[in-house]
Amino acid sequence: MIRSHAFDPLDRARAVPVASSEFTGWRLPLIDSPAGPCAPNAKIIEQQAGCVIPAHFHTCHQFQVVSAGGGLLGRKPVQPWTVHYSSPDTGYGPIEAGEEGLSYYVLRPQIDPGAKFMPQSRGLMRAGLPKHHAVSGPIDVPGASALAALGTMRVQTCLPLTPEGMAVWQVGLPPGERLLAGELPGEGARFYLVTAGALVQVDTGAPADVPARAHAATQPLLSVGSLCFAERADAFSLQASPAGADVLVLQFPPEATMAA
């Protein structure tokens, strides 16, 4: 399974306003899926300035990536491009938006029924599940000139590969360079988030006699803010545009897409 969402400045018009005792802001869906063991979904959450989401947990694996504004995750300051991972039934927060508000991607490999707020939901936590959450960043994103000057692919570890298989890497691709699914270790499903430059998704449907670069020229650009999801078993590659690309690769443990 490969799913993608190409950033569009008009996306913001689709944002749904939300106002409750726990959250005030907007929710912008990007990728939706029907229920199943592998059901990728992605959205952007925008918290209004001063909004505080109480401490809570979710029942599936999750990445959050701050894209704008700033605030606090628990006691840790966050800003673009801070990355947060949480495993199922692991409490975290509160999430407090600063004066400029706080916007972040929420990336999950399965459908989640909603936040379970603490401490009133503590009894819903499943016994025996290991608790793990981790924060990295803010991650420095290269400018246009730095991307253009890259001679070879650059891989930096943001969250190291865990025994369970979770990891996050920042990958810099020179103009026209390809990132193959197997070039990074691990077996889990992944989200790819473009943070600078642009990518072209190169799928496996190209005829064998069509060069990769020629096939890439027919694909839509995945510019900054665009997403691609792929199950680890999928054969695919992503190719940088003539401007190069900087990409966050967010890998879930293989168990994240297994049926309960």
Side-chain angles (χ1 to χ4, degrees):
M1 176 190 295
I2 296 177
R3 300 284 305 279
S4 62
H5 175 84
F7 173 78
D8 185 335
L10 298 179
D11 278 344
R12 184 62 179 76
R14 299 189 295 106
V16 179
V18 180
S20 70
S21 59
E22 293 89 10
F23 173 73
T24 304
W26 295 265
R27 180 176 64 247
L28 174 60
L30 302 176
I31 296 176
D32 287 314
S33 301
C38 184
N41 59 99
K43 59 188 173 184
I44 292 177
I45 294 295
E46 298 182 12
Q47 291 181 225
Q48 283 189 349
C51 169
V52 179
I53 298 178
H56 61 280
F57 66 91
H58 294 273
T59 60
C60 68
H61 297 262
Q62 171 185 273
F63 284 109
Q64 295 167 306
V65 183
V66 177
S67 57
L72 294 172
L73 175 61
R75 297 180 180 178
K76 181 175 178 59
V78 295
Q79 64 187 68
W81 293 84
T82 302
V83 177
H84 173 239
Y85 165 78
S86 60
S87 64
D89 292 20
T90 298
Y92 65 90
I95 306 174
E96 180 177 351
E99 294 180 355
E100 299 179 353
L102 179 63
S103 298
Y104 48 93
Y105 289 82
V106 178
L107 310 173
R108 299 179 180 129
Q110 293 181 327
I111 295 174
D112 180 81
K116 305 291 190 294
F117 293 101
M118 299 292 282
Q120 60 267 36
S121 297
R122 188 177 301 277
L124 299 177
M125 287 182 167
R126 290 164 288 183
L129 281 183
K131 305 292 192 293
H132 182 202
H133 81 100
V135 179
S136 178
I139 294 163
D140 291 328
V141 171
S145 58
L147 274 182
L150 279 178
T152 59
M153 182 172 70
R154 183 196 65 218
V155 178
Q156 294 181 308
T157 299
C158 304
L159 290 175
L161 184 67
T162 65
E164 294 76 23
M166 183 278 292
V168 177
W169 300 276
Q170 180 185 21
V171 179
L173 293 171
E177 185 78 6
R178 296 178 71 189
L179 171 64
L180 302 178
E183 291 187 89
L184 297 171
E187 300 283 335
R190 295 170 177 168
F191 274 101
Y192 298 78
L193 173 58
V194 182
T195 56
L199 283 173
V200 175
Q201 180 183 328
V202 182
D203 61 35
T204 58
D209 58 348
V210 176
R213 290 177 187 270
H215 180 60
T218 69
Q219 304 295 300
L221 280 181
L222 300 176
S223 58
V224 175
S226 298
L227 286 167
C228 181
F229 173 88
E231 288 186 76
R232 183 62 181 84
D234 287 339
F236 80 108
S237 66
L238 295 172
Q239 181 174 330
S241 73
D246 191 74
V247 187
L248 285 177
V249 182
L250 305 113
Q251 178 173 277
F252 296 99
E255 67 179 37
T257 51
M258 295 179 182

